[in-house]
Amino acid sequence: MTAAAPLPSIDDLDTMDEVAFAAAVGPLFEQAPGYLSMLAARRPFESWGVLFERAGETALAADRAVQVELLAAHPRIGAPPGSVSSMSWREQGYDREQSEAIDLLGSLNEAYEAHFGFRYVIHVAGRPRSAIVPLLQAALAQPADAELRRGLQDVVAIARARAGI
């Protein structure tokens, strides 16, 4: 897996055209185009803290189609290693494969998506897949609006961690 390009300064992000902005921060948000366009419109950021604060606000305020796009841009937990970005590969710990948990996560992902109509996204933060299984099981019992909000907040937490902020 290749390493991500270094991030530009906030001053540079604040003055880039939308295409360059999306290319620069896209890896943090798995290249979700509708969301990145909305986020670009929220500039200037003035600091990374402001960028991530607005990233969260933008995700929660977006229409449902953009929210679902943003969640769907992230790979499923336990997805085949070749189908995920280099950042997700490291975050999900493909060097620590746990076949039993991966099999269970596959069926849980399908149940979650059928139940809610959007992808399950969680900030893995180095936890093994076996630790994610009970979290995904519990998520299936949550209200849809609460799960959507949690997932979007985790997308921003993932992006913040990827940026090292």
Side-chain angles (χ1 to χ4, degrees):
M1 296 294 136
T2 60
L7 292 170
S9 71
I10 283 294
D11 289 339
D12 288 344
L13 284 177
D14 282 348
T15 60
M16 289 176 173
D17 66 38
E18 188 175 318
V19 172
F21 174 84
V25 300
L28 302 178
F29 298 97
E30 293 287 342
Q31 309 294 348
Y35 174 77
L36 290 170
S37 179
M38 290 180 68
L39 186 58
R42 301 286 313 270
R43 295 177 291 173
F45 299 120
E46 300 159 6
S47 72
W48 283 101
V50 171
L51 181 147
F52 288 111
E53 180 180 314
R54 291 192 186 152
E57 294 166 356
T58 301
L60 295 173
D63 66 39
R64 177 82 171 212
V66 171
Q67 291 175 332
V68 170
E69 172 196 74
L70 180 56
L71 293 170
H74 282 264
R76 287 178 180 92
I77 298 294
S83 70
V84 302
S85 70
S86 62
M87 289 185 172
S88 286
W89 189 87
R90 284 190 305 277
E91 290 158 359
Q92 290 194 36
Y94 282 95
D95 57 341
R96 301 181 309 270
E97 290 292 345
Q98 301 177 55
S99 60
E100 213 173 276
I102 290 170
D103 291 344
L104 188 50
L105 285 168
S107 62
L108 287 169
N109 278 317
E110 289 175 17
Y112 184 95
E113 291 173 26
H115 182 68
F116 290 116
F118 51 84
R119 183 163 295 167
Y120 179 75
V121 176
I122 189 166
H123 185 202
V124 173
R127 292 178 281 193
R129 285 179 193 77
S130 58
I132 304 303
V133 169
L135 299 174
L136 182 45
Q137 289 169 323
L140 284 163
Q142 299 303 311
D145 288 346
E147 257 315 283
L148 181 62
R149 182 176 186 80
R150 186 215 44 80
L152 293 168
Q153 289 169 332
D154 274 19
V155 164
V156 175
I158 291 165
R160 182 183 288 270
R162 288 176 174 181
I165 305 300

